Every structure is written in C-alpha cells, then in structure tokens.
Amino acid sequence: MNTVDSDRTDDEAFSSSVVLEQTAAAPESLLASPDQLSQAEITQEIIDYHAAADAREAAGERVGLTLHDFPPYRSSVLRHPTKNPKLVDPETIELWSPAFGQRDVALIESDLTLQHTGEPQGERMTVQGRLLDSWGRPLANQLVELWQANAAGRYIHQRDQHPAPLDPNFTGAGRVVTNDNGEYTFTTIKPGAYPWKNHVNAWRPAHIHFSVFGTSFTQRIVTQMYFPGDPLFPLDPIYNTIRRQADRDRLIGQYDHDLTVPEFSMGYRWDIVVDGPDATWFEPEGGDH
Ligand SMILES: [Fe+2]
C-alpha cells in the first residue's frame, strides 16, 4: 500500500498526474530558437564544407583530417585557443602530475551498474578494448575514464535539463587502469541519444565519452565511442568534423558476441590507438557533448 498517496483526494491525485504530463514535454526554454538552422540546412552545410575541404586539398592545400573550424558544429569556433601556446618546462610539470596505477583505482569503479543500491534501467553492456600505440604495442597501466548519459539520454549535469528521466541508480562515470595487455573492461548501460541546441531538432548519436590520461596532464586526450549503424551519423555535426570515413569508423564500437555475457550483458569491443596513422580521432579540449 502506498501510504504517501493514501490520504489524497482524487483531485490532488489528478493534479499531480497533470504535472507529470507537463514535465514530459520540452519546456520552451530548452528548445533551439526558431531562427536557428534546420537539420536539412545543417546537413547541407556538412556536405558543402566537406566538398570545399576536398577541393582545397585537390588544389594542393594541406587540409587537416579534422575540420576544427566547422560551422555546422556551431560552438567549434568558440573552442579555438585565443592566446599563443605557453611553453612549459616538461620536467617541472612532471613533478606535479599524478600517475595512476592499479593501486589507486578500485576494481568496482569500472562497473557503472554497481554504484547504487539498485539496478540502473537500460540495456546492460560490457565494453572491452585495448589501448595501443601506433606500432600495435599494448599500453599497460594507463588510466582510462568514461562518462555517459543514461539509457534515456540524460546526464547528471546541471546544464542537461532536457525532459528525459534521471536514473537514481546510474551516475554515468567510471574509470579503470589498463592491465598488462593494455586492456580495459567496463560494465555499464547503453546510453540513449539526446537532444542538444546546435540547431532545430539536433540529436547526438548515442555515445560514450572516453579519456586516456597518459602519464601527465599534458598528455590527456578525450574522444567518443559510438554504436554501429546509428541513423544519426549523417546528421551529426560533431561526428562529421572528421573527414575520412575510415577515421569515423574507428570511433564505432563493434558488437562482439564472444564478449556478450550469457543472461547478463551485450558485448562491444573498441580499441583506442593513441598515435600514428591509425590513431583514434581525439577531440580538442573543451568539447562537452
Ligand atoms: Fe555526450
């Protein structure tokens, strides 16, 4: 018996259900403003800027593999450094940088489904992969951090107010240190797609944010893992800052039935390569989507 509701009148019960229904629609303040571009216009911009980059390259200009100044991704311009890089003494900075090892990170921190008293909602998944350098050598003892939205596409973050439910049993952050084979393993929940206000009706493909710490602050790199076959790929300005499909493909975790745990979780395998021609694409500092 629900003792909290037992002494409510029908009217009170009705009004509370109306409130719930109202919160299920996006408040006006959360919607992109009507003067922003439509998805069709953004998609056309993506196509046009890629064609322009290809043309500049064909004309002999050296064009990067990532379009850092990419107008379809509206805030990318704001992410440019505005001051000249400051040289630091590498030996000095190393004295102040933490180095994480197996002793510093508890095993349980890699299981995002065990952080609360109850089970989180959603499709449980195991994500496993190797951290490699460009020669294919495993990078052992490296801190790998992960953060993500819940199954409904909602982050626990004050800037994320879109009307999908928070999950009281899911925080969405974890970390692990790679083993001697350079391997990491996380147990988590498959995140949902979520809206953002880059343009009208903008949705991010489902993704998990990853950070690889390296051995000092100056080496930290951040990227995202996506899921196979997402219909939002051609629509997403962030995914499409990357010019080559082969590079984009390296951001997509692959379903691995051998990694799938019977009666428990779906398996995805995703290797991270930190340098060289096969390097995973990493985002510039300050990216938050
Ligand atoms: Fe995100």
Side-chain angles (χ1 to χ4, degrees):
M1 177 180 169
N2 185 335
T3 55
V4 174
D5 285 343
S6 62
D7 58 356
R8 272 188 180 160
T9 65
D10 285 344
D11 278 349
E12 282 172 326
F14 174 74
S15 62
S16 77
S17 71
V18 168
V19 169
L20 284 176
E21 279 178 20
Q22 285 173 341
T23 57
E28 202 62 32
S29 63
L30 295 178
L31 296 172
S33 62
D35 60 345
Q36 286 187 290
L37 294 186
S38 66
Q39 179 66 61
E41 290 169 309
I42 288 288
T43 303
Q44 189 59 51
E45 271 195 2
I46 290 171
I47 293 167
D48 291 346
Y49 277 95
H50 278 276
D54 291 347
R56 280 167 30 219
E57 192 168 62
E61 188 179 333
R62 189 182 164 96
V63 181
L65 295 173
T66 304
L67 300 171
H68 294 293
D69 184 5
F70 193 51
Y73 178 10
R74 286 293 181 250
S75 61
S76 64
V77 174
L78 302 175
R79 303 194 192 290
H80 287 183
T82 57
K83 297 188 169 55
N84 291 329
K86 184 175 167 57
L87 285 174
V88 293
D89 175 0
E91 289 186 10
T92 302
I93 200 165
E94 297 303 323
L95 290 175
W96 298 98
S97 300
F100 294 95
Q102 304 283 353
R103 287 180 307 173
D104 305 300
V105 179
L107 204 56
I108 200 171
E109 293 183 66
S110 64
D111 191 333
L112 284 74
T113 69
L114 296 179
Q115 296 176 343
H116 300 273
T117 52
E119 294 265 5
Q121 298 285 331
E123 181 181 314
R124 201 187 286 112
M125 57 183 282
T126 302
V127 191
Q128 187 178 85
R130 289 176 305 159
L131 184 62
L132 303 167
D133 68 16
S134 57
W135 292 274
R137 297 180 301 199
L139 296 170
N141 243 25
Q142 296 294 310
L143 181 70
V144 179
E145 299 168 289
L146 156 163
W147 62 99
Q148 63 168 97
N150 68 22
R154 179 85 187 266
Y155 285 102
I156 297 181
H157 191 293
Q158 63 181 18
R159 279 176 58 191
D160 184 356
Q161 297 294 327
H162 98 270
L166 288 170
D167 185 338
N169 291 314
F170 191 72
T171 301
R175 59 181 190 164
V176 71
V177 175
T178 57
N179 65 17
D180 289 346
N181 298 319
E183 275 180 339
Y184 70 85
T185 304
F186 286 105
T187 304
T188 184
I189 295 291
K190 189 174 181 184
Y194 61 80
W196 59 310
K197 291 189 276 187
N198 185 72
H199 55 277
V200 176
N201 204 13
W203 288 78
R204 296 278 356 263
H207 60 275
I208 297 178
H209 296 266
F210 274 79
S211 155
V212 182
F213 199 84
T215 54
S216 72
F217 283 130
T218 51
Q219 293 180 343
R220 187 188 185 212
I221 43 183
V222 175
T223 188
Q224 302 180 18
M225 184 194 106
Y226 297 89
F227 294 87
D230 197 311
L232 292 169
F233 285 152
L235 310 181
D236 181 42
I238 295 181
Y239 174 83
N240 285 291
T241 57
I242 305 163
R243 291 180 59 209
R244 297 190 311 191
Q245 188 59 46
D247 292 338
R248 298 175 193 150
D249 289 345
R250 275 192 272 274
L251 295 182
I252 301 171
Q254 295 302 311
Y255 175 71
D256 184 342
H257 201 63
D258 292 333
L259 191 57
T260 291
V261 181
E263 320 294 332
F264 186 75
S265 68
M266 305 295 283
Y268 287 88
R269 187 167 292 283
W270 188 56
D271 291 343
I272 303 171
V273 182
V274 296
D275 60 5
D278 295 331
T280 306
W281 180 85
F282 292 100
E283 64 194 46
E285 273 191 37
D288 62 358
H289 288 285

